[in-house]
Amino acid sequence: MSFRQHTTLNRIYHQEIDMHAAQKIIVLLIVFICCLVIPVFAQQFSCDAVTEIPKTECEALVAFYNSMNGSQWTNKPGWLQTNTPCKWYGIKCAEQHVTTIKFVYGNNISGPLPSEIGNLPNLQTLDLSYNKVTSLPSEIGNLSNLQIFNLLGSRLAGNIAVEVEKLSKLHALQVLSLSAN
């Protein structure tokens, strides 16, 4: 091998090493930027930009997401990603109010139902069957339009007598399913 060939091969070898190092640096920069940017976007959701339902109802849905382990849900399209909560998975609205929250058959919902649920005065259906609702807040009694309350097979724990008594005073309630808990 001539000196010229050896020099050329040496130069190519070092260029490949430099190219490989540059690729590693680019990948590391992308990972670093993603680690900084993604959490910022996730934390920036604000109900201030929501116009299709009252702010208090939006905040109740955000509290529901946070309290019920929303980041681990099996299905959660739209949640805390769009400013249209009436299109979020499991949510239905009518006349600019939340009327339905329905997550059935093991959506990996788990945790205590938050007290803010009581800030959904037009809620008619709350169906969290076959998930893991650990407790009910006393504010459940504020849901005067609730017609269907289904926690079938939700592994509800603890003493819920006071909360159930409040539910019994809801005149619109047609279906109350707490069995298999």
Side-chain angles (χ1 to χ4, degrees):
M1 179 185 306
S2 72
F3 177 74
R4 187 173 193 190
Q5 289 173 328
H6 179 69
T7 305
T8 303
L9 287 175
N10 197 17
R11 192 176 320 133
I12 292 171
Y13 174 76
H14 286 291
Q15 285 175 345
E16 286 179 9
I17 290 174
D18 290 344
M19 184 68 103
H20 186 65
Q23 289 172 336
K24 282 184 176 180
I25 290 171
I26 290 171
V27 168
L28 288 172
L29 282 173
I30 290 170
V31 169
F32 178 73
I33 289 170
C34 287
C35 289
L36 288 177
V37 172
I38 291 172
V40 169
F41 284 125
Q43 294 173 359
Q44 286 187 349
F45 182 81
S46 171
C47 288
D48 292 334
V50 172
T51 58
E52 64 183 7
I53 60 173
K55 185 177 180 181
T56 54
E57 292 187 27
C58 175
E59 290 168 344
L61 292 177
V62 171
F64 177 82
Y65 179 89
N66 290 330
S67 179
M68 306 298 288
N69 199 27
S71 64
Q72 300 300 312
W73 293 351
T74 306
N75 295 304
K76 58 180 173 185
W79 279 84
L80 307 188
Q81 297 171 359
T82 70
N83 65 352
T84 53
C86 294
K87 294 179 182 169
W88 293 353
Y89 181 84
I91 302 299
K92 290 185 183 175
C93 301
E95 299 176 12
Q96 297 186 314
H97 291 283
V98 176
T99 58
T100 300
I101 298 175
K102 188 172 184 175
F103 289 92
V104 296
Y105 300 111
N107 198 47
N108 203 30
I109 290 178
S110 64
L113 198 60
S115 60
E116 291 86 350
I117 199 78
N119 295 335
L120 298 172
N122 295 287
L123 192 64
Q124 297 171 4
T125 299
L126 180 56
D127 189 345
L128 303 175
S129 54
Y130 298 103
N131 285 285
K132 188 176 181 183
V133 179
T134 57
S135 65
L136 303 177
S138 60
E139 290 80 2
I140 199 82
N142 297 348
L143 302 176
S144 59
N145 289 305
L146 193 63
Q147 297 172 14
I148 299 170
F149 186 48
N150 188 359
L151 292 180
L152 173 69
S154 290
R155 297 179 274 183
L156 190 59
N159 186 355
I160 60 167
V162 173
E163 288 76 12
V164 172
E165 182 182 340
K166 289 181 181 185
L167 287 171
S168 69
K169 295 178 183 177
L170 299 177
H171 300 293
L173 193 61
Q174 299 169 10
V175 175
L176 173 61
S177 180
L178 301 174
S179 60
N181 278 294

